[in-house]
């Protein structure tokens, strides 16, 4: 198999044009190509008048070595070298009990799946509901504001990712083929095969619900078990080793292998862990607000046209170093998406970004976040960051009187309450209320966000529009 990289094709290319380009690059007739497989496709939008895709393809041909030798001066042609992910080698000591995985988000599901495929018949525990029941619970919360603290946008089958954008990027090099394995597994479970080659793969929350269900069904078919409405409430540790756990405060489950794939919002579980002989450290993270722009505006800045045929909703990525040394950047950018109420505790509010597969919402939104360190938390101890988060979420809840608090950028800069919308209409899942968000944030954080947004204005002119 030969790999051709850096093929340049128009945005409306056809499979025939791709085959023609591949044959021309190899200097062979088109009918000499036995099979052609897309490996990567990214959009080059540096020149708005000349948008084009940059593509890598794998081509199966006869007389491979001869063709490679004929094109030895072309650095974009090489032997395709794929790394197949291999499961870690199993130990030799027999387990007395099956391994237990706590949490059914992406980490927990894939941990359970690999264990099941290796014959370990894992037990996967999830405090929230199965994805179908959970979807009804979440939609009811968005409609009437009644929160289920055990099953919500954070907790339940698929984790927070089920009601997120479903993006699948990582900046980690895939030297072991693990990233490719994850994408292939998603496709096997029902995701669109284009995630195997697009530069920024995206499943979409509507498709993800079916995908996570299929992964769960495979775990069960291989002898594993998945239990919902099941929260780990205690861990037994003797002589430095786990011997079992308690679930729902009443049932004991013996185990010597325990995987905690609990995500970032299982604060009661973190509190439990601090009472155990385990080493834990506080870490820096980033916090901020969601920012909405009209999707047509983002399309125009990225593509040169508001309604690009063939291309779909445009995304962006912005980053800046601030005057106080902090980093500010966009995160989990959602083209054509929604800002969703993602609360997991009563009296507190947090939001996330979510897109359906079609990404056809009228706004683009992204988390605009600033790095914070343990010195910023204002709370001592290993869970100081959790208390800092809770403070912010409580202040946001008060600002929005229980609804998603919203403010225009121009008013945020002036530290004054927004009383009317501009051209940008909120695109949310859950009720929203105009307010003064600046009062819900520490002064340093509000100032940093303003500085960051104006730094992004230099990268995307118009980004700091007053009514964003």
């Amino acid at each position: 198999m030969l790999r051709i990289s850096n093929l340049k094709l128009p945005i409306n290319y056809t499979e025939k044009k791709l085959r023609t380009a591949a044959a021309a690059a190899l200097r062979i007739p088109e009918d000499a190509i036995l099979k052609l497989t897309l490996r990567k496709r990214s959009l080059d939008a540096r020149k708005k008048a000349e948008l084009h895709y940059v593509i890598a393809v794998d081509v199966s041909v006869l007389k491979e070595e001869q063709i490679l030798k004929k094109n030895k001066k072309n650095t974009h042609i090489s032997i395709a070298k794929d790394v197949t992910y291999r499961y870690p080698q199993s130990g030799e000591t027999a387990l007395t009990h099956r391994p237990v995985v706590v949490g059914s988000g992406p980490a927990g599901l894939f941990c359970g799946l690999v264990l099941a495929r290796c014959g370990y018949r894992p037990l996967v525990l999830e405090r929230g509901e199965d994805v179908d029941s959970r979807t009804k619970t979440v939609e009811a919360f968005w409609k009437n504001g009644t929160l289920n603290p055990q099953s919500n946008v954070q907790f339940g089958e698929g984790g927070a990712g089920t009601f997120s954008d479903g993006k699948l990027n990582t900046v980690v090099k895939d030297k072991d083929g693990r990233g490719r394995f994850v994408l292939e597994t998603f496709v096997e479970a029902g995701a669109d095969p284009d995630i195997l080659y697009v530069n920024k793969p995206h499943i979409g929350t509507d498709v993800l619900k079916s995908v996570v269900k299929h992964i769960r069904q495979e775990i069960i078919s291989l002898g594993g078990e998945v239990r919902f409405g099941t929260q780990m409430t205690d861990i037994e540790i003797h002589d430095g080793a786990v011997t079992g756990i308690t679930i729902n405060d009443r049932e004991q489950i013996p185990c010597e292998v325990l995987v905690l794939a609990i995500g970032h919002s299982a604060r009661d579980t973190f509190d439990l862990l601090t009472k155990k002989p385990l080493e834990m450290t506080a870490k820096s993270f980033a916090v901020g607000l969601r920012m909405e722009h009209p999707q047509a505006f983002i399309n125009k800045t990225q593509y040169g046209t508001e309604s690009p045929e063939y291309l779909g909703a445009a995304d962006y990525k912005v980053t800046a170093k601030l005057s106080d040394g902090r980093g500010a950047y966009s995160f989990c950018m959602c083209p054509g998406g929604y800002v969703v109420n993602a609360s997991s505790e009563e009296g507190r509010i947090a939001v996330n970004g979510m897109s359906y597969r079609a990404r056809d919402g009228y706004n683009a939104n992204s988390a605009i976040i600033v790095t914070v360190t343990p010195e910023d938390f204002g709370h001592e101890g290993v869970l100081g960051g959790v208390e800092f988060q809770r403070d912010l979420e409580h202040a946001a809840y008060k600002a929005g009187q229980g609804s998603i608090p919203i403010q225009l950028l121009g008013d945020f800069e002036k530290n004054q309450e927004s009383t009317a919308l501009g051209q940008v209409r909120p695109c949310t899942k859950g009720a929203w209320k105009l307010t003064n968000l600046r009062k819900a944030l520490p002064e340093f954080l509000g100032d940093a966000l303003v500085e960051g947004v104006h730094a992004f204005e230099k990268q995307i002119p118009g980004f700091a529009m007053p009514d964003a």
Side-chain angles (χ1 to χ4, degrees), residues 178-254:
R178 186 168 57 173
R180 181 78 182 182
F181 160 72
V182 168
L183 296 178
E184 289 172 346
T185 301
F186 279 137
V187 171
E188 291 166 8
D192 194 302
D194 73 2
I195 68 173
L196 295 174
Y197 60 81
V198 296
N199 186 43
K200 294 180 180 178
H202 155 77
I203 295 179
T205 187
D206 44 342
V207 179
L208 267 168
K209 293 169 187 175
S210 174
V211 168
V212 298
K213 191 190 305 184
H214 276 86
I215 293 175
R216 180 232 302 171
Q217 290 168 343
E218 182 177 349
I219 293 171
I220 294 171
S221 73
L222 294 171
E225 182 183 357
V226 182
R227 294 172 61 175
F228 298 103
T230 307
Q231 181 180 357
M232 183 190 73
T233 50
D234 201 3
I235 305 175
E236 296 296 327
I237 301 175
H238 296 288
D239 297 327
V242 172
T243 58
I245 63 170
T246 302
I247 57 175
N248 297 339
D249 291 317
R250 61 178 182 272
E251 181 183 349
Q252 275 74 46
I253 296 177

Side-chain angles (χ1 to χ4, degrees), residues 147-165:
L147 176 69
N148 180 342
Q150 297 297 338
S151 189
N152 44 61
V153 173
Q154 303 291 350
F155 302 142
E157 186 172 20
T162 299
F163 297 98
S164 185
D165 189 56

Side-chain angles (χ1 to χ4, degrees), residues 251-266:
E251 181 183 349
Q252 275 74 46
I253 296 177
C255 65
E256 61 263 50
V257 173
L258 175 66
V259 178
L260 302 183
I262 56 176
H264 61 66
S265 292

Side-chain angles (χ1 to χ4, degrees), residues 286-293 297-298 301-302 316-323 326-331 333 366-371 409 413 445-465 468:
V287 64
L289 307 173
R290 284 261 156 196
M291 190 167 182
E292 291 189 278
H293 296 90
F297 162 74
I298 298 298
T301 64
Q302 303 302 87
Y316 63 81
K317 182 177 180 179
V318 286
T319 181
K321 186 75 174 286
L322 304 183
S323 58
R326 299 178 193 273
Y329 54 97
S330 59
F331 175 76
M333 194 271 150
S366 179
I368 302 300
I369 51 180
V370 176
T371 53
L409 173 63
E413 293 180 42
L445 191 52
D447 291 345
L449 287 166
V450 170
E451 183 182 349
V453 168
H454 282 278
F456 304 152
E457 171 77 18
K458 297 174 184 176
Q459 301 167 44
I460 301 178
F463 194 88
M465 60 176 66

Side-chain angles (χ1 to χ4, degrees), residues 328-343:
Y329 54 97
S330 59
F331 175 76
C332 188
M333 194 271 150
C334 297
Y338 297 81
V339 175
V340 305
N341 189 332
S343 300

Side-chain angles (χ1 to χ4, degrees), residues 290-294 337 339 363-365 406 424-428 467-468:
R290 284 261 156 196
M291 190 167 182
E292 291 189 278
H293 296 90
V339 175
N363 279 353
N365 77 75
I406 286 179
V424 186
R425 295 176 296 133
C427 191
T428 70
D467 60 344

